[in-house]
């Protein structure tokens, strides 16, 4: 038996595509989809693969209680795909640069699009979103940093940076 925990809708969808491709069959009358299974347990969803044939789903808490000796693996395939996409983009930008195409950001906006965060053609924040497991905590830390130092360092610019991260966090959470 294998247990796979999916913390995001994207991970759940990627796992559904994987198990469908492998030909696994659901041991329930209704085939779980992104609309019913994920909506029941959200970030506590665990997909149960029994005997390498049958599929089921349950909450993480239920699996920990009923299958205490079976490790629950985190399913992170979607993150790997996003990271690969960013790696491919980085390689493309390097190729453009080598061919004489400028990818330098001439922008002087230190709040919404700092030039030093897009060196090589990739927005650092996009890479962080692809790699950091708990993005909301990362953003909350940045918000606290900028709000707590604005009087001592960059004034209004730091408050605008905190606002940028707060808006990004709200957008990220609404997209989930």
């Amino acid at each position: 038996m294998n247990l796979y925990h999916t913390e995001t809708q994207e991970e759940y969808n990627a796992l559904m595509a994987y198990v469908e491709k492998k030909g696994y069959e659901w041991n329930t009358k209704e085939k779980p989809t992104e609309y019913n299974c994920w909506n029941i347990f959200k970030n506590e969803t665990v997909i149960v693969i029994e005997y390498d044939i049958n599929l089921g789903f349950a909450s993480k808490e239920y699996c920990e209680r009923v299958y205490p000796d079976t490790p629950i693996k985190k399913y992170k395939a979607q993150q790997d795909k996003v990271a690969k996409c960013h790696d491919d983009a980085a390689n493309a930008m390097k190729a453009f640069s080598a061919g004489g195409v400028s990818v330098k950001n001439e922008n002087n906006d230190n709040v919404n699009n700092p030039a030093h965060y897009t060196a090589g053609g990739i927005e650092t924040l996009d890479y962080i979103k692809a790699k950091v497991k708990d993005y909301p905590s990362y953003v909350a830390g940045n918000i606290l940093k900028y709000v707590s130092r604005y009087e001592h360092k960059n004034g209004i610019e730091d408050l605008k940076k905190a606002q940028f991260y707060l808006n990004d966090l709200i957008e990220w959470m609404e997209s989930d």
Side-chain angles (χ1 to χ4, degrees):
M1 171 181 304
N2 287 304
L3 304 173
Y4 292 100
H5 177 215
T6 57
E7 293 180 326
T8 67
Q9 175 80 56
E10 292 79 20
E11 290 169 0
Y12 176 79
N13 292 345
L15 182 55
M16 293 300 96
Y18 172 77
V19 296
E20 185 177 290
K21 183 179 173 183
K22 288 289 190 179
Y24 293 118
E25 294 183 15
W26 293 96
N27 60 8
T28 61
K29 289 183 181 181
E30 182 181 2
K31 179 180 175 184
T33 66
E34 63 187 275
Y35 303 108
N36 60 27
C37 178
W38 175 257
N39 286 332
I40 294 169
F41 300 118
K42 300 277 186 196
N43 63 341
E44 292 295 310
T45 302
V46 173
I47 301 301
V48 180
I49 302 177
E50 299 174 304
Y51 314 113
D52 293 327
I53 298 171
N54 293 322
L55 296 171
F57 66 95
S59 71
K60 186 177 179 201
E61 182 270 329
Y62 174 84
C63 291
E64 289 170 340
R65 194 169 17 93
V66 174
Y67 310 113
D69 297 329
T70 304
I72 300 174
K73 303 170 193 162
K74 292 197 184 284
Y75 190 81
K76 292 289 183 186
Q78 189 67 17
Q79 291 289 343
D80 294 340
K81 288 180 185 177
V82 172
K84 183 186 181 312
C85 175
H86 284 285
D87 290 345
D88 291 346
N91 290 334
M93 291 303 114
K94 287 177 187 172
F96 283 142
S97 294
V101 176
S102 174
V103 294
K104 186 176 180 186
N105 182 357
E106 302 295 337
N107 186 332
N108 292 328
D109 183 349
N110 286 333
V111 174
N112 297 302
N113 193 13
H116 59 282
Y117 281 2
T118 56
I122 296 173
E123 176 64 50
T124 304
L125 193 56
D126 291 337
Y127 185 74
I128 290 168
K129 286 177 185 176
K131 290 300 217 179
V132 173
K133 284 174 37 171
D134 186 9
Y135 181 69
S137 292
Y138 168 82
V139 173
N142 276 340
I143 293 166
L144 291 170
K145 171 181 73 176
Y146 288 120
V147 167
S148 65
R149 78 178 196 187
Y150 84 95
E151 292 179 301
H152 311 290
K153 193 166 181 191
N154 297 321
I156 259 180
E157 183 178 301
D158 277 354
L159 290 175
K160 287 181 178 180
K161 288 178 181 180
Q163 183 178 33
F164 169 85
Y165 278 107
L166 181 59
N167 290 339
D168 192 63
L169 177 60
I170 291 168
E171 184 180 311
W172 186 86
M173 292 184 80
E174 287 178 341
S175 73
D176 243 3

